[in-house]
Amino acid sequence: MPNSDVTGEAARPDGLGSPRRAALTGLREAMGVPALVLGSSYLGFGALIQGAGLTVWHGLFSTFTGWALPGQIILVELYSLGAGLLVVAAAVAMTNARLLPMTVALMPYLRAPGRPRWHYYLFAHYVAVTGWAAAMRRCPSLPEGQRLPYFAGFAVALWSMCLVTTAVGFFLSDLLPGYVTLGLVFLNPIYFMLVFVADARHRARILALAIGALAGPLLHLVSADWGLLLTGVLAGSLAFFADRLWSRRHV
């Protein structure tokens, strides 16, 4: 049965009608606020690339192969500081490790009988927070054959937009003051926060955000280097177990 918050096309018995319509719907939904926010953030990233003395091709290659803005910013910052290749690779890998549990959580929703396995390996590359949040909200209400097309349309549209805005930001960097560049980059985490807060139906997500907001400043005082990582592990784990306990007591 479709989720109660899904209306319009997704409420139809046949979902979005066909895999092609599902892909087009994903594309259309991506080219709204998600594209505006991510595109603006990647304008800032393109400007950072130029300021670091890298070429536009470095920026495009980074977005093409490692589409995850926090890791890309760390790459540029460490390069600017003259860090070694192994240090840069390790830092980017640790930053992007958050995408692994997101991919593991999403992929079971995207599976459909008879679909070649390489499709999943290909589109796992496009798992990022915005596309993940949209797919986790929409895909459970869709027929199995329409879930991967919806995610593909949504994620590939955003990825393409980010490639374009990376280049545009690079060439417009001289027109963007430094504080504007940083402001554009930080639109991304603010948007993610609003997306999760807006989806208040999920008790575990709200608990994780609340615990993280309370524990984050305290753990930062304990360790400025590890505070953020500890906050994520603590908030996520406590929210998960609290949600499980609540569900068992109210069955």
Side-chain angles (χ1 to χ4, degrees):
M1 180 177 294
N3 292 339
S4 59
D5 66 324
V6 178
T7 59
E9 290 179 306
R12 295 168 41 176
D14 59 346
L16 297 172
S18 68
R20 181 175 179 274
R21 284 196 64 187
L24 292 175
T25 299
L27 187 152
R28 185 177 68 247
E29 292 182 358
M31 301 309 290
V33 174
L36 177 63
V37 173
L38 281 181
S40 298
S41 296
Y42 273 85
L43 285 175
F45 175 69
L48 287 177
I49 287 288
Q50 202 276 345
L54 297 168
T55 70
V56 67
W57 299 110
H58 289 121
L60 290 173
F61 183 75
S62 172
T63 302
F64 185 88
T65 58
W67 182 45
L69 191 57
Q72 292 176 261
I73 293 173
I74 287 176
L75 185 152
V76 174
E77 291 297 321
L78 290 179
Y79 171 82
S80 300
L81 295 173
L85 178 61
L86 290 179
V87 173
V88 174
V92 172
M94 290 181 65
T95 304
N96 290 342
R98 73 194 191 284
L99 301 176
L100 177 59
M102 292 166 57
T103 303
V104 171
L106 177 61
M107 282 301 155
Y109 287 108
L110 303 183
R111 290 176 182 165
R115 187 176 297 280
R117 182 170 295 182
W118 67 266
H119 288 188
Y120 306 114
Y121 291 118
L122 172 63
F123 288 105
H125 172 76
Y126 296 98
V127 174
V129 176
T130 307
W132 177 84
M136 292 295 287
R137 183 178 68 252
R138 288 283 253 157
C139 287
S141 67
L142 298 178
E144 290 181 339
Q146 297 176 24
R147 296 175 182 179
L148 184 61
Y150 172 84
F151 173 72
F154 190 100
V156 173
L158 285 184
W159 176 72
S160 302
M161 171 63 72
C162 292
L163 284 170
V164 172
T165 51
T166 296
V168 172
F170 180 91
F171 291 113
L172 294 182
S173 59
D174 292 337
L175 303 178
L176 297 175
Y179 62 87
V180 173
T181 298
L182 291 175
L184 290 174
V185 168
F186 279 100
L187 278 176
N188 215 17
I190 293 172
Y191 172 69
F192 295 157
M193 178 70 72
L194 293 176
V195 166
F196 287 124
V197 169
D199 195 11
R201 296 177 303 104
H202 296 277
R203 183 174 52 243
R205 295 181 190 175
I206 298 303
L207 283 172
L209 287 171
I211 296 170
L214 294 173
L218 297 176
L219 290 175
H220 179 76
L221 293 175
V222 174
S223 173
D225 294 329
W226 294 94
L228 183 60
L229 178 62
L230 292 173
T231 299
V233 173
L234 177 66
S237 300
L238 289 178
F240 174 79
F241 288 114
D243 183 65
R244 291 284 297 271
L245 183 61
W246 178 277
S247 299
R248 288 178 180 177
R249 289 186 174 182
H250 293 81
V251 172

